[in-house]
């Protein structure tokens, strides 16, 4: 939940580019003196103490002003809504190496989960110094945010875009886009400050400077691997608050549906991905085909079917609930994911999801912990399930429960006693997410627990190994 000082919201054109390309390169207008001071702080901390990790923000206090800048608050509000959360995980990347990094998608703090195509998560990569190509900026592959596989040849990357520019440049990226550190041929210190942000409320209307209601392609895009017309339009509609907008009542011919179903098995993921989204718009016959594909022995086919089912509307929900009893863990996880993306429309699934909270598979329990917060209704049953999750033996179930409670907010007040216990958890993200959950609940009881915790664990930004006490 950012402090927003007249945020400069994105335009329709920039939102269209974010949907297709998966990133935007933007720039703040801080003074040269501001960035010189920021860089001095960074260099001192890194030289004296090493990488401060998750304590980057309190240790380099000038950074807080960066995340109050209206260009940054506006970009984040546009993509994640006004109630977005700055996640506790953050990292200052230092690069002086001529050896480029490996292409990768970031994990979720070491936690593997099924990745959302809808922008529930985003990252900002901020460059506090002039960052020409020779200084090794972040390299980004446009349009790859929704590909699980590496669809590209590492030696032939004409598509790569460098997040290079003058001091104050930053990349706003879909959390799951493929990226890497490029070669720093100058050898001078290069900082990239990475912060993660989470959407806490599903969109009910456009949160950017919206003028046009219908989707169209942006006027200019980066060089992309494929065209995804149905997926892009569905994402635009979702961000506009139109849940299940691509579900159709008209039934397509069996021949058309069967052809798209066979394309789900294509080895080139962009083609198979298009087939999944197109099947979701083929009415009940398309939905049934996707439910069958969810059981496919090929994990990629099953996973892509889940993405199709996640936007298919209410016709998919009964079949997804039945799939929760599947003997294969992966199938159950994908069914949970698809149900979660239907949000309140999947409220009837909550009793079945709660019955999985004692499942032997920790992977299933983690998925349920996230889904309960996404669905959120009926509130009592969802919150009761999340209170159970806060007591799970697995730390990742516990910290996902905290994030889910953030999404429910004040109606989750009955979780406050268990969140108070979670503030003392041995896992840093369980503690951090419990604190955030109390903040989003925001009642007197929750605020009292949060303030007590913050005072007990208060941070002194000037205390270092070289300066433990005075002055």
């Amino acid at each position: 939940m950012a402090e927003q000082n007249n945020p400069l919201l994105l335009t329709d054109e920039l939102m269209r580019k974010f949907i297709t390309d998966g990133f935007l390169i933007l720039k703040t207008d801080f003074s040269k003196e501001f960035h010189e001071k920021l860089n001095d702080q960074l260099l001192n901390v890194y030289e004296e103490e090493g990488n401060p990790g998750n304590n980057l923000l309190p240790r380099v206090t000038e950074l807080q002003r960066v995340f109050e800048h209206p260009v940054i608050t506006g970009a984040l509000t546009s993509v994640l809504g006004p109630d977005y959360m700055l996640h506790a995980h953050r990292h200052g990347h230092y690069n002086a190496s001529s050896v480029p990094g490996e292409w990768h998608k970031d994990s979720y703090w070491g936690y593997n989960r099924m990745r959302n195509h809808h922008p529930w998560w985003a990252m900002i990569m901020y460059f506090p110094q002039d960052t020409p190509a020779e200084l090794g900026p972040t390299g980004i592959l446009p349009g790859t945010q929704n590909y699980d596989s590496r669809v590209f040849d590492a030696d032939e990357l004409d598509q790569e875009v460098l997040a290079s520019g003058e001091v104050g440049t930053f990349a706003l990226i879909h959390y799951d886009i493929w990226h890497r550190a490029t070669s720093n041929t100058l050898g001078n210190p290069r900082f990239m400050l990475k912060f993660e942000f989470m959407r806490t409320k599903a969109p009910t209307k456009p949160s950017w400077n919206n003028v046009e209601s219908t989707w169209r392609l942006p006027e200019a895009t980066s060089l992309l691997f494929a065209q995804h017309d149905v997926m892009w339009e569905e994402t635009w509609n979702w961000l506009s608050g139109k849940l299940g907008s691509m579900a159709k009542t008209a039934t397509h011919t069996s021949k058309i549906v069967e052809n798209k179903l066979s394309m789900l098995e294509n080895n080139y993921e962009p083609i198979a991905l298009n087939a999944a989204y197109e099947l979701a718009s083929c009415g009940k016959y398309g939905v049934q085909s996707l439910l069958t594909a969810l059981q496919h022995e090929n994990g990629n086919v099953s996973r892509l079917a889940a993405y199709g089912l996640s936007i298919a509307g209410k016709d998919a929900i009964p079949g997804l609930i039945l799939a929760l009893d599947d003997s294969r863990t992966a199938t159950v996880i994908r069914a949970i994911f698809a149900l979660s993306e239907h949000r309140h429309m999947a409220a009837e699934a909550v009793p079945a999801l709660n019955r999985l909270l004692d499942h032997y598979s920790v992977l299933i329990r983690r998925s349920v912990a996230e889904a309960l917060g996404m669905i959120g209704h009926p509130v009592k049953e969802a919150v009761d399930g999340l209170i159970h999750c806060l007591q799970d033996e697995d730390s990742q179930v516990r910290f996902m429960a905290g994030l889910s409670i953030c999404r429910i907010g004040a109606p989750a007040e009955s979780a406050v006693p268990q969140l108070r216990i979670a503030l003392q958890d041995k896992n840093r993200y369980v503690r951090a997410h419990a604190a955030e959950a109390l903040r989003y609940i925001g009642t007197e009881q929750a605020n009292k627990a949060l303030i007590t915790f913050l005072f007990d664990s208060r941070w002194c930004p000037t205390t270092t190994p070289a300066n433990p006490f005075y002055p």
Side-chain angles (χ1 to χ4, degrees):
M1 189 180 297
E3 291 292 327
Q4 299 189 6
N5 181 19
N6 297 321
L8 297 175
L9 299 175
L10 298 179
T11 63
D12 285 339
E13 178 65 9
L14 287 174
M15 284 298 292
R16 288 190 287 262
K17 281 185 64 63
F18 183 83
I19 289 169
T20 57
D21 295 14
F23 74 98
L24 294 170
I25 306 297
L26 303 169
K27 188 178 180 296
T28 60
D29 61 357
F30 288 110
S31 67
K32 179 180 178 182
E33 291 73 24
F34 170 82
H35 283 110
E36 286 176 348
K37 183 177 180 181
L38 177 57
N39 264 290
D40 286 344
Q41 283 187 296
L42 286 164
L43 286 168
N44 287 336
V45 169
Y46 274 70
E47 289 173 359
E48 294 181 6
E49 306 164 34
N51 193 320
N54 289 349
N55 283 331
L56 178 62
L57 193 58
R59 192 66 195 89
V60 185
T61 54
E62 290 295 300
L63 269 175
Q64 185 57 52
R65 289 182 58 193
V66 170
F67 294 103
E68 294 169 354
H69 192 284
V71 172
I72 288 184
T73 60
L76 289 168
T77 297
S78 297
V79 171
L80 299 178
D83 295 313
Y84 65 83
M85 184 183 85
L86 170 60
H87 192 266
H89 177 74
R90 60 284 307 254
H91 187 66
H93 287 264
Y94 176 90
N95 177 22
S97 173
S98 61
V99 179
E102 295 290 329
W103 286 105
H104 66 283
K105 290 174 178 266
D106 279 20
S107 73
Y108 290 80
W109 337 291
Y111 169 48
N112 292 319
R113 56 186 289 278
M114 193 158 173
R115 297 173 183 268
N116 303 91
H117 289 176
H118 293 145
W120 283 97
W121 291 87
M123 285 193 283
I124 279 183
M125 297 176 169
Y126 192 84
F127 295 90
Q129 71 283 302
D130 287 335
T131 309
E134 297 80 10
L135 199 60
T138 300
I140 300 168
L141 279 181
T144 60
Q145 64 272 20
N146 297 323
Y147 303 156
D148 188 66
S149 60
R150 283 181 50 160
V151 301
F152 50 90
D153 186 332
D155 297 324
E156 298 177 359
L157 289 176
D158 295 336
Q159 292 93 336
E160 182 176 14
V161 172
L162 301 183
S164 59
E166 296 178 345
V167 60
T169 294
F170 67 96
L172 170 68
I173 68 172
H174 187 294
Y175 192 96
D176 298 323
I177 204 164
W178 286 88
H179 62 281
R180 68 169 178 170
T182 59
S183 175
N184 184 344
T185 58
L186 296 179
N188 299 330
R190 185 277 277 165
F191 287 105
M192 183 275 281
L193 310 176
K194 184 190 79 174
F195 287 77
E196 303 177 358
F197 299 85
M198 184 188 85
R199 173 184 284 276
T200 62
K201 300 294 182 186
T204 57
K205 62 182 180 179
S207 55
W208 65 95
N209 186 17
N210 178 237
V211 177
E212 300 179 47
S213 61
T214 57
W215 166 256
R216 65 178 175 86
L217 291 174
E219 295 176 3
T221 64
S222 304
L223 185 60
L224 304 178
F225 288 89
Q227 189 96 350
H228 297 291
D229 294 321
V230 176
M231 181 172 66
W232 293 337
E233 182 179 1
E234 193 280 333
T235 302
W236 171 272
N237 289 342
W238 184 86
L239 284 164
S240 301
K242 302 171 186 175
L243 181 61
S245 64
M246 302 308 291
K248 300 290 193 300
T249 55
T251 302
H252 289 60
T253 66
S254 59
K255 185 175 181 179
I256 291 174
V257 172
E258 287 170 6
N259 180 55
K260 294 182 186 300
L261 188 58
S262 68
M263 291 171 64
L264 269 180
E265 300 184 40
N266 195 291
N267 290 329
Y268 188 58
E269 186 175 3
I271 292 176
L273 182 59
N274 277 341
Y277 272 79
E278 289 162 5
L279 281 166
S281 62
C282 286
K284 292 183 178 180
Y285 192 20
V287 169
Q288 188 54 54
S289 297
L290 286 168
L291 286 168
T292 300
L294 187 68
Q295 314 284 335
H296 202 285
E297 60 184 13
N298 183 320
N300 288 327
V301 174
S302 174
R303 177 179 57 82
L304 291 170
Y307 284 117
L309 289 164
S310 75
I311 67 159
K314 61 183 181 180
D315 287 343
I317 291 171
L320 288 169
I321 293 174
L322 288 175
L324 298 178
D325 293 325
D326 196 274
S327 60
R328 290 188 295 185
T329 296
T331 302
V332 177
I333 290 171
R334 291 162 187 151
I336 294 170
F337 169 85
L339 286 165
S340 73
E341 285 283 2
H342 283 90
R343 306 192 324 250
H344 60 274
M345 289 170 57
E348 64 188 278
V350 167
L353 291 171
N354 278 343
R355 287 194 291 272
L356 294 173
L357 289 177
D358 292 316
H359 198 280
Y360 69 86
S361 169
V362 67
L363 300 176
I364 287 176
R365 302 201 306 275
R366 292 172 185 171
S367 298
V368 173
E370 182 166 28
L372 289 174
M374 300 274 278
I375 297 171
H377 298 277
V379 172
K380 184 181 185 305
E381 287 82 349
V383 174
D384 285 349
L386 290 169
I387 292 171
H388 186 95
C389 291
L390 286 169
Q391 302 169 73
D392 196 279
E393 64 182 8
D394 179 69
S395 61
Q396 294 176 1
V397 175
R398 300 197 300 276
F399 72 58
M400 286 310 303
L403 287 180
S404 285
I405 291 171
C406 292
R407 291 187 167 122
I408 295 175
E413 186 176 21
S414 61
V416 169
Q418 196 60 47
L419 288 168
R420 189 184 294 116
I421 294 171
L423 291 172
Q424 307 304 320
D425 198 279
K426 62 182 180 181
N427 181 279
R428 71 186 72 191
Y429 295 117
V430 175
R431 298 192 301 271
H433 297 175
E436 289 286 3
L438 289 167
R439 183 163 73 101
Y440 278 91
I441 290 172
T443 61
E444 182 178 356
Q445 179 189 195
N447 289 340
K448 181 178 180 180
L450 177 59
I451 291 171
T452 299
F453 167 71
L454 293 176
F455 268 98
D456 289 346
S457 58
R458 61 191 178 274
W459 172 270
C460 175
T462 58
T463 298
T464 68
N467 180 27
F469 304 114
Y470 309 110

